[in-house]
Amino acid sequence: MNLEKAIKNLELRGYNVKFFKTGAEASEYICSEVKNTDVGIGGSKTAEALGLFEKLSENNSVYWHWKTPGPETIAKANSAPVYITSANAISEDGEILNIDGKGNRLAGQVYGDKKVYIVAGTNKIRPDFHSALDRARNIAAVKNCGRFDNNNPCKIDGKCHDCRMKSRICNALLVLWGPMMGMDTEIILIDEELGF
């Protein structure tokens, strides 16, 4: 992994990039930046590991369907002026990849005049688009599928089969080549293995 190359290319694509050695430092930074507002969190094991829901709830109204399930929570999260999520993979060329089953996490990243934080461990950085896509499909999506009660074939052998199961959790792929118009998107990279 070439961290310097990834940071440089993310910045060239228009992202503000912050790098932290630890998750504790990153969450402290985010909490210092996000105060007295509404915050949405998209499904993210990284956000969960950093305790962002609990920490941000001290000074904000935080909406996360993992904590309060339901469509109303998802709607409030996606319309919040601050949205926090992660990435399934990031290429050294600065492409950010996410796979989703329902689409709420993808929608939160790409629509609305808001501040978006994409928080990711450096374990998600891959040399190029194809290896990033492989990571998103065969590591992140497979592990994510394992959280659910289903019989999807990826749970058997740990690789994506591009199945047609109704319980499929990888129905859409989002590739960000740059911040969306009207959005201030900040990439928080952490030198730890975090999330799927």
Side-chain angles (χ1 to χ4, degrees):
M1 170 198 58
N2 187 330
L3 179 62
E4 289 181 13
K5 179 181 177 183
I7 291 173
K8 177 184 175 184
N9 283 323
L10 286 164
E11 290 173 340
L12 285 172
R13 289 178 181 271
Y15 295 108
N16 181 17
V17 182
K18 298 275 194 243
F19 175 74
F20 297 93
K21 293 297 283 182
T22 68
E25 293 169 340
S27 60
E28 183 179 327
Y29 166 75
I30 293 167
C31 291
S32 72
E33 293 288 308
V34 180
K35 292 182 179 175
N36 304 314
T37 190
D38 289 349
V39 179
I41 300 179
S44 167
K45 295 299 280 184
T46 300
E48 183 179 59
L50 297 178
L52 289 178
F53 179 84
E54 294 77 13
K55 292 172 183 174
L56 288 168
S57 292
E58 294 176 13
N59 296 304
N60 303 280
S61 295
V62 184
Y63 303 98
W64 192 6
H65 67 287
W66 283 13
K67 302 294 183 178
T68 309
E72 185 177 317
T73 302
I74 290 172
K76 287 182 178 179
N78 284 354
S79 64
V82 174
Y83 193 78
I84 297 171
T85 190
S86 190
N88 293 143
I90 300 172
S91 77
E92 290 176 5
D93 295 324
E95 299 148 319
I96 301 168
L97 287 75
N98 270 303
I99 291 174
D100 206 353
K102 190 168 189 161
N104 57 295
R105 186 168 58 99
L106 304 184
Q109 294 176 68
V110 298
Y111 183 72
D113 294 329
K114 63 179 85 170
K115 171 80 178 199
V116 175
Y117 292 91
I118 297 175
V119 184
T122 53
N123 56 303
K124 297 186 177 182
I125 298 174
R126 292 295 185 267
D128 55 32
F129 175 82
H130 294 291
S131 58
L133 180 59
D134 182 68
R135 185 197 191 285
R137 292 184 76 185
N138 293 299
I139 295 175
V142 169
K143 287 183 178 181
N144 192 32
C145 189
R147 297 186 308 115
F148 300 99
D149 182 22
N150 60 49
N151 293 314
N152 293 15
C154 64
K155 291 175 84 171
I156 296 168
D157 62 5
K159 65 180 181 180
C160 179
H161 291 266
D162 194 18
C163 71
R164 300 297 179 260
M165 307 277 293
K166 286 187 177 181
S167 54
R168 176 183 171 124
I169 58 96
C170 47
N171 291 319
L173 168 69
L174 172 68
V175 180
L176 291 174
W177 289 307
M180 301 303 289
M181 294 177 188
M183 282 191 177
D184 177 10
T185 304
E186 188 166 323
I187 313 301
I188 308 293
L189 291 176
I190 303 164
D191 198 17
E192 291 181 357
E193 185 161 331
L194 290 164
F196 294 156

mmCIF file of all heavy atoms in Angstrom, residues 164-190:
data_model
loop_
_atom_site.group_PDB
_atom_site.id
_atom_site.type_symbol
_atom_site.label_atom_id
_atom_site.label_comp_id
_atom_site.label_asym_id
_atom_site.label_seq_id
_atom_site.Cartn_x
_atom_site.Cartn_y
_atom_site.Cartn_z
ATOM 1 N N ARG A 164 -28.269 -14.168 -7.351
ATOM 2 C CA ARG A 164 -29.565 -13.528 -7.597
ATOM 3 C C ARG A 164 -30.511 -13.754 -6.421
ATOM 4 O O ARG A 164 -31.715 -13.728 -6.561
ATOM 5 C CB ARG A 164 -30.199 -14.069 -8.896
ATOM 6 C CG ARG A 164 -29.358 -13.832 -10.140
ATOM 7 C CD ARG A 164 -29.176 -12.340 -10.428
ATOM 8 N NE ARG A 164 -28.356 -12.119 -11.603
ATOM 9 C CZ ARG A 164 -27.076 -11.798 -11.581
ATOM 10 N NH1 ARG A 164 -26.444 -11.699 -10.438
ATOM 11 N NH2 ARG A 164 -26.411 -11.568 -12.690
ATOM 12 N N MET A 165 -29.954 -13.972 -5.254
ATOM 13 C CA MET A 165 -30.750 -14.219 -4.054
ATOM 14 C C MET A 165 -31.531 -12.953 -3.669
ATOM 15 O O MET A 165 -31.023 -11.843 -3.828
ATOM 16 C CB MET A 165 -29.840 -14.617 -2.887
ATOM 17 C CG MET A 165 -28.899 -15.771 -3.171
ATOM 18 S SD MET A 165 -29.626 -17.378 -2.966
ATOM 19 C CE MET A 165 -29.914 -17.431 -1.221
ATOM 20 N N LYS A 166 -32.733 -13.123 -3.146
ATOM 21 C CA LYS A 166 -33.497 -11.976 -2.649
ATOM 22 C C LYS A 166 -32.787 -11.331 -1.467
ATOM 23 O O LYS A 166 -32.948 -10.151 -1.212
ATOM 24 C CB LYS A 166 -34.903 -12.403 -2.249
ATOM 25 C CG LYS A 166 -35.803 -12.674 -3.426
ATOM 26 C CD LYS A 166 -37.226 -12.930 -2.974
ATOM 27 C CE LYS A 166 -38.111 -13.126 -4.196
ATOM 28 N NZ LYS A 166 -39.508 -13.345 -3.827
ATOM 29 N N SER A 167 -32.006 -12.110 -0.742
ATOM 30 C CA SER A 167 -31.278 -11.607 0.422
ATOM 31 C C SER A 167 -29.916 -11.022 0.060
ATOM 32 O O SER A 167 -29.127 -10.682 0.947
ATOM 33 C CB SER A 167 -31.102 -12.735 1.436
ATOM 34 O OG SER A 167 -30.495 -13.861 0.822
ATOM 35 N N ARG A 168 -29.651 -10.884 -1.220
ATOM 36 C CA ARG A 168 -28.387 -10.295 -1.691
ATOM 37 C C ARG A 168 -28.205 -8.909 -1.062
ATOM 38 O O ARG A 168 -29.116 -8.098 -1.058
ATOM 39 C CB ARG A 168 -28.449 -10.198 -3.215
ATOM 40 C CG ARG A 168 -27.274 -9.520 -3.871
ATOM 41 C CD ARG A 168 -27.521 -9.430 -5.378
ATOM 42 N NE ARG A 168 -26.521 -8.614 -6.019
ATOM 43 C CZ ARG A 168 -25.756 -9.018 -7.018
ATOM 44 N NH1 ARG A 168 -25.904 -10.230 -7.515
ATOM 45 N NH2 ARG A 168 -24.859 -8.222 -7.554
ATOM 46 N N ILE A 169 -27.009 -8.641 -0.562
ATOM 47 C CA ILE A 169 -26.749 -7.332 0.061
ATOM 48 C C ILE A 169 -25.864 -6.451 -0.819
ATOM 49 O O ILE A 169 -25.506 -5.340 -0.429
ATOM 50 C CB ILE A 169 -26.132 -7.481 1.477
ATOM 51 C CG1 ILE A 169 -24.814 -8.271 1.446
ATOM 52 C CG2 ILE A 169 -27.101 -8.152 2.421
ATOM 53 C CD1 ILE A 169 -23.603 -7.429 1.402
ATOM 54 N N CYS A 170 -25.539 -6.934 -2.012
ATOM 55 C CA CYS A 170 -24.675 -6.153 -2.905
ATOM 56 C C CYS A 170 -25.415 -5.881 -4.224
ATOM 57 O O CYS A 170 -25.111 -6.469 -5.249
ATOM 58 C CB CYS A 170 -23.342 -6.849 -3.138
ATOM 59 S SG CYS A 170 -23.461 -8.593 -3.545
ATOM 60 N N ASN A 171 -26.389 -4.998 -4.140
ATOM 61 C CA ASN A 171 -27.214 -4.670 -5.306
ATOM 62 C C ASN A 171 -26.714 -3.459 -6.081
ATOM 63 O O ASN A 171 -27.156 -3.236 -7.208
ATOM 64 C CB ASN A 171 -28.660 -4.422 -4.875
ATOM 65 C CG ASN A 171 -29.322 -5.700 -4.415
ATOM 66 O OD1 ASN A 171 -29.142 -6.756 -5.021
ATOM 67 N ND2 ASN A 171 -30.062 -5.624 -3.334
ATOM 68 N N ALA A 172 -25.838 -2.679 -5.491
ATOM 69 C CA ALA A 172 -25.355 -1.475 -6.172
ATOM 70 C C ALA A 172 -23.902 -1.216 -5.811
ATOM 71 O O ALA A 172 -23.472 -1.465 -4.681
ATOM 72 C CB ALA A 172 -26.209 -0.268 -5.794
ATOM 73 N N LEU A 173 -23.177 -0.715 -6.778
ATOM 74 C CA LEU A 173 -21.788 -0.301 -6.583
ATOM 75 C C LEU A 173 -21.706 1.194 -6.856
ATOM 76 O O LEU A 173 -22.136 1.665 -7.912
ATOM 77 C CB LEU A 173 -20.854 -1.044 -7.547
ATOM 78 C CG LEU A 173 -19.414 -0.508 -7.641
ATOM 79 C CD1 LEU A 173 -18.664 -0.775 -6.338
ATOM 80 C CD2 LEU A 173 -18.693 -1.135 -8.825
ATOM 81 N N LEU A 174 -21.147 1.932 -5.913
ATOM 82 C CA LEU A 174 -20.917 3.363 -6.081
ATOM 83 C C LEU A 174 -19.415 3.596 -6.158
ATOM 84 O O LEU A 174 -18.657 3.131 -5.296
ATOM 85 C CB LEU A 174 -21.500 4.149 -4.899
ATOM 86 C CG LEU A 174 -21.162 5.638 -4.852
ATOM 87 C CD1 LEU A 174 -21.838 6.370 -6.005
ATOM 88 C CD2 LEU A 174 -21.576 6.239 -3.517
ATOM 89 N N VAL A 175 -18.988 4.293 -7.199
ATOM 90 C CA VAL A 175 -17.586 4.708 -7.315
ATOM 91 C C VAL A 175 -17.573 6.224 -7.297
ATOM 92 O O VAL A 175 -18.151 6.871 -8.172
ATOM 93 C CB VAL A 175 -16.940 4.188 -8.618
ATOM 94 C CG1 VAL A 175 -15.481 4.640 -8.688
ATOM 95 C CG2 VAL A 175 -17.036 2.675 -8.702
ATOM 96 N N LEU A 176 -16.926 6.785 -6.297
ATOM 97 C CA LEU A 176 -16.754 8.235 -6.238
ATOM 98 C C LEU A 176 -15.428 8.593 -6.885
ATOM 99 O O LEU A 176 -14.378 8.106 -6.466
ATOM 100 C CB LEU A 176 -16.777 8.721 -4.786
ATOM 101 C CG LEU A 176 -18.115 8.636 -4.055
ATOM 102 C CD1 LEU A 176 -17.930 9.006 -2.584
ATOM 103 C CD2 LEU A 176 -19.140 9.547 -4.702
ATOM 104 N N TRP A 177 -15.498 9.436 -7.920
ATOM 105 C CA TRP A 177 -14.288 9.935 -8.574
ATOM 106 C C TRP A 177 -13.932 11.328 -8.073
ATOM 107 O O TRP A 177 -12.897 11.868 -8.421
ATOM 108 C CB TRP A 177 -14.477 9.940 -10.089
ATOM 109 C CG TRP A 177 -14.491 8.577 -10.690
ATOM 110 C CD1 TRP A 177 -13.542 7.603 -10.528
ATOM 111 C CD2 TRP A 177 -15.479 8.019 -11.544
ATOM 112 N NE1 TRP A 177 -13.883 6.476 -11.230
ATOM 113 C CE2 TRP A 177 -15.077 6.703 -11.866
ATOM 114 C CE3 TRP A 177 -16.671 8.499 -12.075
ATOM 115 C CZ2 TRP A 177 -15.819 5.874 -12.691
ATOM 116 C CZ3 TRP A 177 -17.404 7.658 -12.895
ATOM 117 C CH2 TRP A 177 -16.974 6.374 -13.191
ATOM 118 N N GLY A 178 -14.813 11.899 -7.268
ATOM 119 C CA GLY A 178 -14.587 13.219 -6.694
ATOM 120 C C GLY A 178 -15.778 13.611 -5.851
ATOM 121 O O GLY A 178 -16.820 12.943 -5.891
ATOM 122 N N PRO A 179 -15.654 14.675 -5.073
ATOM 123 C CA PRO A 179 -16.779 15.134 -4.263
ATOM 124 C C PRO A 179 -17.947 15.548 -5.153
ATOM 125 O O PRO A 179 -17.755 16.121 -6.225
ATOM 126 C CB PRO A 179 -16.222 16.346 -3.508
ATOM 127 C CG PRO A 179 -14.739 16.267 -3.656
ATOM 128 C CD PRO A 179 -14.470 15.518 -4.914
ATOM 129 N N MET A 180 -19.150 15.242 -4.696
ATOM 130 C CA MET A 180 -20.339 15.630 -5.440
ATOM 131 C C MET A 180 -20.520 17.148 -5.371
ATOM 132 O O MET A 180 -20.112 17.791 -4.395
ATOM 133 C CB MET A 180 -21.571 14.932 -4.874
ATOM 134 C CG MET A 180 -21.482 13.407 -4.901
ATOM 135 S SD MET A 180 -21.209 12.709 -6.539
ATOM 136 C CE MET A 180 -22.793 13.021 -7.301
ATOM 137 N N MET A 181 -21.144 17.724 -6.377
ATOM 138 C CA MET A 181 -21.402 19.164 -6.393
ATOM 139 C C MET A 181 -22.233 19.551 -5.177
ATOM 140 O O MET A 181 -23.211 18.891 -4.853
ATOM 141 C CB MET A 181 -22.158 19.558 -7.661
ATOM 142 C CG MET A 181 -21.379 19.377 -8.923
ATOM 143 S SD MET A 181 -22.413 19.793 -10.348
ATOM 144 C CE MET A 181 -21.356 19.272 -11.673
ATOM 145 N N GLY A 182 -21.823 20.622 -4.514
ATOM 146 C CA GLY A 182 -22.551 21.103 -3.346
ATOM 147 C C GLY A 182 -22.205 20.375 -2.061
ATOM 148 O O GLY A 182 -22.795 20.646 -1.020
ATOM 149 N N MET A 183 -21.269 19.447 -2.123
ATOM 150 C CA MET A 183 -20.874 18.691 -0.930
ATOM 151 C C MET A 183 -19.424 18.940 -0.581
ATOM 152 O O MET A 183 -18.569 18.974 -1.456
ATOM 153 C CB MET A 183 -21.056 17.192 -1.151
ATOM 154 C CG MET A 183 -22.453 16.699 -1.032
ATOM 155 S SD MET A 183 -22.424 14.889 -0.991
ATOM 156 C CE MET A 183 -24.144 14.564 -0.748
ATOM 157 N N ASP A 184 -19.188 19.113 0.691
ATOM 158 C CA ASP A 184 -17.839 19.187 1.231
ATOM 159 C C ASP A 184 -17.536 17.793 1.771
ATOM 160 O O ASP A 184 -18.094 17.396 2.792
ATOM 161 C CB ASP A 184 -17.783 20.243 2.338
ATOM 162 C CG ASP A 184 -16.431 20.321 3.007
ATOM 163 O OD1 ASP A 184 -15.469 19.701 2.507
ATOM 164 O OD2 ASP A 184 -16.335 20.996 4.056
ATOM 165 N N THR A 185 -16.717 17.037 1.061
ATOM 166 C CA THR A 185 -16.443 15.658 1.450
ATOM 167 C C THR A 185 -15.019 15.547 1.969
ATOM 168 O O THR A 185 -14.067 15.885 1.277
ATOM 169 C CB THR A 185 -16.651 14.693 0.267
ATOM 170 O OG1 THR A 185 -17.977 14.860 -0.225
ATOM 171 C CG2 THR A 185 -16.459 13.253 0.702
ATOM 172 N N GLU A 186 -14.919 15.070 3.201
ATOM 173 C CA GLU A 186 -13.622 14.933 3.857
ATOM 174 C C GLU A 186 -13.333 13.452 4.082
ATOM 175 O O GLU A 186 -14.190 12.700 4.535
ATOM 176 C CB GLU A 186 -13.645 15.675 5.197
ATOM 177 C CG GLU A 186 -12.306 15.764 5.863
ATOM 178 C CD GLU A 186 -12.290 16.784 6.989
ATOM 179 O OE1 GLU A 186 -12.931 17.840 6.853
ATOM 180 O OE2 GLU A 186 -11.633 16.502 8.003
ATOM 181 N N ILE A 187 -12.112 13.056 3.738
ATOM 182 C CA ILE A 187 -11.685 11.679 3.920
ATOM 183 C C ILE A 187 -10.828 11.613 5.182
ATOM 184 O O ILE A 187 -9.826 12.318 5.301
ATOM 185 C CB ILE A 187 -10.867 11.171 2.711
ATOM 186 C CG1 ILE A 187 -11.558 11.513 1.384
ATOM 187 C CG2 ILE A 187 -10.595 9.679 2.856
ATOM 188 C CD1 ILE A 187 -12.939 10.966 1.216
ATOM 189 N N ILE A 188 -11.250 10.769 6.111
ATOM 190 C CA ILE A 188 -10.507 10.566 7.352
ATOM 191 C C ILE A 188 -9.845 9.189 7.256
ATOM 192 O O ILE A 188 -10.516 8.163 7.324
ATOM 193 C CB ILE A 188 -11.446 10.598 8.582
ATOM 194 C CG1 ILE A 188 -12.323 11.844 8.598
ATOM 195 C CG2 ILE A 188 -10.645 10.432 9.873
ATOM 196 C CD1 ILE A 188 -11.591 13.145 8.811
ATOM 197 N N LEU A 189 -8.529 9.170 7.070
ATOM 198 C CA LEU A 189 -7.784 7.915 6.997
ATOM 199 C C LEU A 189 -7.119 7.640 8.344
ATOM 200 O O LEU A 189 -6.528 8.537 8.948
ATOM 201 C CB LEU A 189 -6.727 7.980 5.901
ATOM 202 C CG LEU A 189 -7.241 8.003 4.461
ATOM 203 C CD1 LEU A 189 -6.082 8.178 3.495
ATOM 204 C CD2 LEU A 189 -8.044 6.749 4.136
ATOM 205 N N ILE A 190 -7.232 6.402 8.782
ATOM 206 C CA ILE A 190 -6.720 6.001 10.090
ATOM 207 C C ILE A 190 -5.769 4.827 9.891
ATOM 208 O O ILE A 190 -6.099 3.847 9.223
ATOM 209 C CB ILE A 190 -7.883 5.592 11.024
ATOM 210 C CG1 ILE A 190 -8.879 6.742 11.145
ATOM 211 C CG2 ILE A 190 -7.354 5.183 12.395
ATOM 212 C CD1 ILE A 190 -10.225 6.351 11.714
#
